[in-house]
CSV table of all heavy atoms in Angstrom, one decimal:
chain,number,residue,atom,x,y,z
H,31,ARG,N,-16.3,6.1,3.9
H,31,ARG,CA,-16.0,4.7,3.7
H,31,ARG,C,-15.2,4.1,4.9
H,31,ARG,O,-14.1,4.7,5.2
H,31,ARG,CB,-15.3,4.5,2.4
H,31,ARG,CG,-15.5,3.2,1.7
H,31,ARG,CD,-14.4,3.1,0.6
H,31,ARG,NE,-14.9,3.3,-0.7
H,31,ARG,CZ,-14.8,2.4,-1.7
H,31,ARG,NH1,-14.2,1.3,-1.5
H,31,ARG,NH2,-15.2,2.7,-2.9
H,39,PRO,N,5.3,0.0,6.8
H,39,PRO,CA,6.1,1.2,6.6
H,39,PRO,C,7.6,1.1,6.8
H,39,PRO,O,8.0,0.6,7.9
H,39,PRO,CB,5.4,2.2,7.6
H,39,PRO,CG,4.3,1.4,8.3
H,39,PRO,CD,4.4,0.0,7.9
H,67,GLY,N,7.7,-6.9,5.9
H,67,GLY,CA,7.8,-6.6,4.4
H,67,GLY,C,9.1,-5.8,4.2
H,67,GLY,O,10.2,-6.4,4.3
H,95,CYS,N,1.4,-10.7,10.8
H,95,CYS,CA,2.3,-11.8,10.5
H,95,CYS,C,3.7,-11.4,10.4
H,95,CYS,O,4.0,-10.4,9.7
H,95,CYS,CB,1.8,-12.5,9.2
H,95,CYS,SG,0.1,-13.1,9.4
H,104,ILE,N,11.5,-11.8,2.9
H,104,ILE,CA,12.5,-10.9,2.1
H,104,ILE,C,12.2,-9.5,2.6
H,104,ILE,O,11.1,-9.1,2.7
H,104,ILE,CB,12.2,-11.0,0.6
H,104,ILE,CG1,12.2,-12.4,0.1
H,104,ILE,CG2,13.2,-10.2,-0.2
H,104,ILE,CD1,11.7,-12.5,-1.3
H,133,VAL,N,-4.5,-10.1,12.4
H,133,VAL,CA,-5.5,-10.9,11.6
H,133,VAL,C,-6.8,-11.0,12.4
H,133,VAL,O,-7.9,-11.0,11.7
H,133,VAL,CB,-4.8,-12.3,11.4
H,133,VAL,CG1,-5.9,-13.3,10.9
H,133,VAL,CG2,-3.7,-12.3,10.4
H,170,PRO,N,-18.1,-11.7,2.5
H,170,PRO,CA,-19.2,-10.8,2.0
H,170,PRO,C,-19.1,-9.4,2.6
H,170,PRO,O,-19.8,-8.5,2.1
H,170,PRO,CB,-20.4,-11.5,2.5
H,170,PRO,CG,-20.0,-12.8,3.0
H,170,PRO,CD,-18.6,-12.8,3.2
H,177,ILE,N,-5.2,-2.7,-3.6
H,177,ILE,CA,-3.9,-3.2,-3.3
H,177,ILE,C,-2.8,-2.4,-4.0
H,177,ILE,O,-3.0,-2.1,-5.2
H,177,ILE,CB,-3.8,-4.7,-3.7
H,177,ILE,CG1,-4.9,-5.5,-3.0
H,177,ILE,CG2,-2.4,-5.3,-3.5
H,177,ILE,CD1,-5.1,-6.9,-3.7
H,192,ALA,N,8.9,-9.7,-11.0
H,192,ALA,CA,8.0,-9.6,-9.9
H,192,ALA,C,8.2,-8.2,-9.2
H,192,ALA,O,9.3,-7.7,-9.0
H,192,ALA,CB,8.2,-10.7,-8.9
H,205,VAL,N,-4.3,-16.1,-2.9
H,205,VAL,CA,-5.5,-16.3,-2.1
H,205,VAL,C,-6.4,-15.0,-2.3
H,205,VAL,O,-7.6,-15.0,-2.6
H,205,VAL,CB,-5.2,-16.5,-0.6
H,205,VAL,CG1,-6.5,-16.4,0.2
H,205,VAL,CG2,-4.5,-17.9,-0.4
H,211,ARG,N,-14.0,-11.1,-4.2
H,211,ARG,CA,-14.5,-9.8,-3.8
H,211,ARG,C,-13.9,-8.8,-4.8
H,211,ARG,O,-12.9,-9.1,-5.5
H,211,ARG,CB,-14.1,-9.4,-2.4
H,211,ARG,CG,-14.6,-10.3,-1.3
H,211,ARG,CD,-16.1,-10.4,-1.4
H,211,ARG,NE,-16.8,-9.1,-1.3
H,211,ARG,CZ,-18.0,-8.8,-1.7
H,211,ARG,NH1,-18.7,-9.8,-2.4
H,211,ARG,NH2,-18.6,-7.7,-1.5
H,243,ASP,N,6.7,18.0,6.9
H,243,ASP,CA,8.1,18.0,7.1
H,243,ASP,C,8.6,16.5,7.2
H,243,ASP,O,9.6,16.2,6.6
H,243,ASP,CB,8.5,18.6,8.5
H,243,ASP,CG,8.3,20.2,8.4
H,243,ASP,OD1,8.1,20.7,7.3
H,243,ASP,OD2,8.3,20.8,9.5
H,275,TYR,N,-6.8,6.6,-5.0
H,275,TYR,CA,-7.9,6.0,-5.8
H,275,TYR,C,-9.2,6.0,-5.1
H,275,TYR,O,-10.3,6.3,-5.8
H,275,TYR,CB,-7.5,4.5,-6.1
H,275,TYR,CG,-8.6,3.8,-6.9
H,275,TYR,CD1,-8.8,4.1,-8.2
H,275,TYR,CD2,-9.4,2.9,-6.3
H,275,TYR,CE1,-9.8,3.4,-8.9
H,275,TYR,CE2,-10.4,2.2,-7.0
H,275,TYR,CZ,-10.6,2.5,-8.3
H,275,TYR,OH,-11.6,1.9,-9.0
H,294,GLU,N,5.0,-20.8,-8.4
H,294,GLU,CA,5.9,-22.0,-8.4
H,294,GLU,C,7.3,-21.8,-9.1
H,294,GLU,O,8.3,-22.3,-8.6
H,294,GLU,CB,5.2,-23.2,-9.0
H,294,GLU,CG,4.2,-23.7,-8.0
H,294,GLU,CD,3.2,-24.7,-8.6
H,294,GLU,OE1,3.4,-25.2,-9.7
H,294,GLU,OE2,2.2,-24.9,-7.9
Side-chain angles (χ1 to χ4, degrees):
R31 208 193 253 237
C95 299
I104 305 172
V133 168
I177 302 168
V205 169
R211 299 305 300 156
D243 290 349
Y275 176 74
E294 281 166 21

